[in-house]
Amino acid sequence: MNAKYQGAILLVAAFEPPVPGQSLSETIIPDVKTTLNLFGMHLRKVSGEWDYPQHAHPQYEFNYVLEGEQQLTVNNHSYLQRAGDLVLLRPGDIHSSRSGNGGAFTYFCIHFDIDDKLFISLLSRLNHVLFTSESNVAHRLGPLLSRLVEISTSGSGSITISQRMRLQSAVFELFAQLWEVFSLEADNSSPGTYERIELAHQIRSRLQSLIYQQFKQEVPYDSHYGVDDIAAELGISPSHCYRVFRQVFGLSPRVYLSEQMLHEAKVLLDDHSLTVSQISGLLGYRDIAHFSRQFKRWSGKSPREYRESRS
């Protein structure tokens, strides 16, 4: 085996366990690809004369009152927001604000968007705008929002790299709590919705581990282990496995598995130090002809045609 090939194996083997027999247990963690964007995060204290006109924006907004009272009008509905109360505004919501009692008040605001379709689906199912300080939502999220305020105001002038890292850490913890608590607050007219989502994620996790198995010794791509075995492990029928996965992710488990394998194949084909035959072996195919047929079925091009198109 040449040096280049050995180097490539070491690169791909980042997903591999130790030599068979040395690893006593293994858990495959699903890939994390969520993108979260924060916009216009600010802490503001305003006078009793504060009167912000009607407006809307394309992001979600969390508005958290720390002191005083804020009168919010959202889509022609009025809400009195007191200290400790949390408001969730959706993209396109027309809203305005002023003092709730003629006095000064302080609020903290975050605009955000997130590319996780399941999370957006969850937010869209919520019927509430205002979560009072006594609610479970405000009780769970209040300390994390206060932590964000503390980090944001702990320095003077520009935000330091250290503050930025702490803000990111606190924001992701906030969104972890959001998922848990909003799952309980979401519309209950669809019983089992979030149990179904969690099940779909378990299926996806096992599908991803199947892909990584291709990089292990003696586990060919066309191994007998597959979706039916995953269903059996989870105690559900194959048909239920397919149905739940498609409802949540919009495609079948087999199509998802094929798309992920195609992605891995393309990554390897972009490395011109590897031959198509070597890539076929790395991906667990029994021969290059089998790999070529599968790749062309998925992409419409043979591996060599794909590689030439990228040159």
Side-chain angles (χ1 to χ4, degrees):
M1 184 180 296
N2 61 47
K4 288 184 178 179
Y5 187 33
Q6 287 178 318
I9 289 178
L10 289 175
L11 176 64
V12 174
F15 301 113
E16 250 186 291
V19 174
Q22 294 181 359
S23 178
L24 300 180
S25 64
E26 178 182 25
T27 301
I28 300 296
I29 309 301
D31 296 344
V32 178
K33 299 178 181 179
T34 298
T35 298
L36 169 67
N37 297 308
L38 303 176
F39 307 90
M41 184 163 56
H42 61 274
L43 174 69
R44 180 178 285 155
K45 183 172 184 177
V46 299
S47 70
E49 288 74 38
W50 170 265
D51 190 353
Y52 202 91
Q54 284 191 342
H55 64 289
H57 37 71
Q59 301 89 24
Y60 285 89
E61 176 184 336
F62 279 117
N63 191 294
Y64 184 60
V65 170
L66 285 82
E67 298 174 338
E69 296 182 357
Q70 176 174 215
Q71 189 75 42
L72 272 172
T73 301
V74 183
N75 298 326
N76 296 320
H77 295 281
S78 185
Y79 302 90
L80 180 61
Q81 187 181 5
R82 298 184 172 90
D85 293 352
L86 173 67
V87 162
L88 170 65
L89 301 174
R90 295 160 185 79
D93 280 350
I94 299 173
H95 56 286
S96 61
S97 71
R98 58 182 175 82
S99 172
N101 56 10
F105 67 95
T106 303
Y107 71 92
F108 181 64
C109 178
I110 304 175
H111 300 89
F112 69 92
D113 65 33
I114 187 169
D115 68 354
D116 190 304
K117 293 180 180 179
L118 297 179
F119 203 99
I120 292 299
S121 175
L122 172 67
L123 294 179
S124 69
R125 284 185 170 89
L126 291 171
N127 293 322
H128 294 81
V129 171
L130 175 68
F131 300 90
T132 67
S133 59
E134 294 82 16
S135 68
N136 187 40
V137 170
H139 178 74
R140 292 276 295 272
L141 302 186
L144 291 167
L145 289 165
S146 297
R147 174 62 176 154
L148 283 171
V149 172
E150 178 186 342
I151 296 170
S152 302
T153 58
S154 61
S156 58
S158 301
I159 296 291
T160 66
I161 293 177
S162 176
Q163 281 178 289
R164 201 163 68 236
M165 295 299 108
R166 290 192 177 98
L167 278 171
Q168 290 176 343
S169 174
V171 166
F172 275 103
E173 177 59 28
L174 173 68
F175 274 73
Q177 290 285 348
L178 280 177
W179 175 264
E180 293 179 2
V181 71
F182 279 8
S183 293
L184 300 176
E185 296 289 332
D187 185 2
N188 293 322
S189 64
S190 301
T193 295
Y194 296 101
E195 290 84 351
R196 187 165 64 251
I197 289 174
E198 292 297 335
L199 177 58
H201 274 278
Q202 291 180 47
I203 297 168
R204 185 173 68 169
S205 175
R206 283 167 168 78
L207 288 171
Q208 288 178 341
S209 70
L210 256 184
I211 296 163
Y212 300 147
Q213 292 288 334
Q214 312 312 318
F215 300 121
K216 296 182 180 182
Q217 297 178 2
E218 300 178 356
V219 183
Y221 174 75
D222 55 356
S223 169
H224 66 280
Y225 183 86
V227 177
D228 289 357
D229 301 277
I230 289 174
E233 289 175 357
L234 294 172
I236 59 178
S237 68
S239 61
H240 187 57
C241 178
Y242 275 84
R243 183 168 57 254
V244 167
F245 194 88
R246 184 181 289 278
Q247 287 173 344
V248 172
F249 293 109
L251 72 171
S252 73
R254 293 197 188 281
V255 170
Y256 174 81
L257 189 59
S258 297
E259 287 183 353
Q260 296 302 305
M261 283 299 294
L262 175 61
H263 172 76
E264 297 294 341
K266 286 181 174 180
V267 169
L268 292 175
L269 285 167
D270 285 337
D271 181 356
H272 287 261
S273 69
L274 293 173
T275 67
V276 175
S277 178
Q278 289 168 342
I279 293 170
S280 172
L282 287 172
L283 291 174
Y285 286 90
R286 60 178 178 266
D287 55 54
I288 187 174
H290 186 205
F291 168 61
S292 296
R293 285 195 301 271
Q294 285 279 36
F295 188 88
K296 189 164 187 176
R297 183 180 304 139
W298 291 334
S299 69
K301 297 179 180 179
S302 71
R304 285 187 173 81
E305 289 171 340
Y306 171 81
R307 175 168 277 179
E308 289 172 0
S309 71
R310 302 279 289 181
S311 299

